Amino acid sequence: MFILVASPVQAADPDPLQDFCIADLSQGCVIAPHTHNLATELVFVTAGELYIGFVANSDDVSAPNKLFAGMVKAGEAFVIPRGLVHFQMNNGTINASTINFLNSHNPGISFLPLTLFAAQPAVDPALLARSFAVDQTALSDLAVFWSPFSNVFV
């Protein structure tokens, strides 16, 4: 004789600890290139207009390294697939706002400028200079610019 025992299974993300985020308007009008390796993102523009885009992975056989981008106006939405480098920029003449939806409470985030130019200890400047075909002065300028933001996501 078999006895079936029902046991609860939790297959969802934990309850949200943060369900909203207020932007710091003093930091300018660009969300730098970044990735969410654990979530797809939907950006719904509620006011203004934004230039939003993502770049397909280099191993995507149908569109390697292809940029998918455009101006998204109030009332429109843009979907960003999981794991792809993406960005947002206000090219308009008025403030813009969005409601962003991610299909995971823990989407993971890696801001590429912070990852590369504000790492502690620093990524070898010679490697970065060769990778981006720039000189040490340009790298120093980037490191100085991004270092104040290094603790934003801690």
Side-chain angles (χ1 to χ4, degrees):
M1 176 183 299
F2 292 101
I3 299 174
L4 298 176
V5 177
S7 64
V9 175
Q10 183 174 354
D13 288 336
D15 288 337
L17 300 175
Q18 174 184 347
D19 55 359
F20 63 91
C21 177
I22 305 300
D24 180 355
L25 298 178
S26 68
Q27 298 302 320
C29 60
V30 172
I31 297 178
H34 64 283
T35 64
H36 302 288
N37 62 330
L38 301 174
T40 294
E41 182 174 5
L42 182 135
V43 180
F44 180 76
V45 178
T46 57
E49 61 182 14
L50 294 170
Y51 178 64
I52 303 175
F54 65 85
V55 179
N57 287 330
S58 57
D59 64 351
D60 184 329
V61 295
S62 63
N65 296 317
K66 183 174 180 180
L67 172 66
F68 295 88
M71 292 301 292
V72 183
K73 299 176 182 175
E76 298 177 342
F78 192 92
V79 176
I80 301 157
R82 177 181 58 163
L84 298 183
V85 173
H86 59 283
F87 55 85
Q88 298 176 35
M89 182 170 66
N90 186 347
N91 272 352
T93 57
I94 63 170
N95 288 339
S97 63
T98 65
I99 299 174
N100 295 40
F101 303 90
L102 295 112
N103 67 344
S104 172
H105 176 65
N106 183 16
I109 189 164
S110 179
F111 271 95
L112 300 181
L114 290 176
T115 301
L116 296 172
F117 302 109
Q120 294 299 321
V123 175
D124 183 346
L127 177 128
L128 293 174
R130 288 180 185 173
S131 297
F132 292 103
V134 296
D135 62 23
Q136 294 291 333
T137 303
L139 288 176
S140 295
D141 291 345
L142 288 166
V144 167
F145 177 82
W146 285 105
S147 62
F149 300 97
S150 63
N151 64 355
V152 171
F153 298 101
V154 175

